[in-house]
Amino acid sequence: MEILILYYSRTGAVQSLAQHLGRGVSSIEGMTPRIRTVPPVSSVTEATENQIPETGFPYVCETDLTECDGIALGSPTRFGHMAAPLKYFLEQTTSQWLSGTMSGKPACVFTSSSSLHGGQESTLLSMMLPLLHHGMLIVGLPYTEQELSDTKTGGSPYGATHFTGPQNQSRLDNTEKQLAQKLGARLALTAKRLRSNP
Ligand SMILES: Cc1cc2nc3c(=O)[nH]c(=O)nc-3n(C[C@H](O)[C@H](O)[C@H](O)COP(=O)(O)O)c2cc1C
């Protein structure tokens, strides 16, 4: 069984979170992460991106959505909500929305921002909305995870987060890593349980 970890990242912070979510998914027996990204969008509408990115994870395609058993969706915080490339991709999922491809599958969200109170939670909540329209079942983090109460950086009951600092200088600290991995594991476990008890 596979969990699609779909993210956009320009400077690497959200990509780090994605990789830790992937470790969490792999910690559940029989579960494999499938990490995918989306192309950037251009203000020059005629410009097109290469079909395959020059570095990093492959671009997401329709079969990734069909074949996965759950989705983790990640984006940088941009003006308090998700980045345009991810939203642009989601707006191309009308056929999956109409056919219910993702309906009943579990999902979670993650983000990164350069200021601590600069909109992580609003970004996470806004990312849940299209997933709910798709009929997905949202998985969060409970306060029984001690790191949620202890954190001095990222981490939210609404999803995994990372605080990079104003110059994007901070790497994920141990608390942020732990919470990202725990969220990935919860998502994978939920997908597994739903598969055995549909
Ligand atoms: C256009 C733009 C808008 C941004 N808006 C916010 C914001 O509202 N709040 C915030 O804390 N950081 C904001 N940031 C900073 C990014 O969220 C932060 O650098 C993030 O960690 C980048 O993730 P990435 O390395 O995965 O690209 C913004 C950055 C850009 C480029």
Side-chain angles (χ1 to χ4, degrees):
M1 290 178 65
E2 287 188 89
I3 296 293
L4 175 63
I5 300 180
L6 175 61
Y7 73 94
Y8 173 71
S9 178
R10 203 176 70 174
T11 52
V14 174
Q15 180 175 305
S16 288
L17 277 173
Q19 289 169 304
H20 281 284
L21 265 98
R23 286 186 200 175
V25 170
S26 302
S27 73
I28 303 299
E29 198 188 338
M31 301 302 294
T32 308
R34 184 188 296 200
I35 305 184
R36 296 289 182 267
T37 185
V38 293
V41 292
S42 169
S43 56
V44 183
T45 50
E46 287 83 8
T48 53
E49 281 295 322
N50 294 334
Q51 287 298 305
I52 299 169
E54 288 183 6
T55 55
F57 294 103
Y59 292 138
V60 65
C61 62
E62 200 178 330
T63 49
D64 293 322
L65 298 176
T66 319
E67 291 172 1
C68 73
D69 297 286
I71 297 180
L73 194 65
S75 169
T77 291
R78 292 219 170 146
F79 301 117
H81 58 95
M82 82 177 94
L86 198 62
K87 185 152 188 297
Y88 183 73
F89 169 76
L90 289 170
E91 287 180 14
Q92 296 169 72
T93 58
T94 309
S95 69
Q96 288 83 3
W97 168 53
L98 293 173
S99 62
T101 305
M102 284 127 81
S103 181
K105 294 180 183 179
C108 70
V109 290
F110 55 104
T111 190
S112 169
S113 73
S114 60
S115 58
L116 199 46
H117 304 290
Q120 289 193 344
E121 293 187 344
S122 59
T123 300
L124 294 175
L125 292 170
S126 74
M127 290 170 75
M128 290 177 192
L129 300 180
L131 301 176
L132 288 166
H133 279 250
H134 274 287
M136 302 200 79
L137 311 173
I138 305 295
V139 174
L141 283 164
Y143 271 91
T144 44
E145 302 299 354
Q146 187 58 39
E147 292 90 347
L148 267 189
S149 301
D150 295 343
T151 183
K152 301 279 187 289
T153 55
S156 157
Y158 310 127
T161 72
H162 171 44
F163 163 54
T164 64
Q167 265 76 50
N168 269 351
Q169 71 275 29
S170 306
R171 298 288 157 257
L172 267 70
D173 78 353
N174 198 42
T175 304
E176 293 172 325
K177 288 180 187 172
Q178 288 293 318
L179 288 170
Q181 290 176 23
K182 285 180 176 180
L183 185 60
R186 279 177 69 79
L187 181 66
L189 197 57
T190 305
K192 205 171 164 180
R193 285 178 178 154
L194 284 168
R195 173 71 80 86
S196 47
N197 294 299

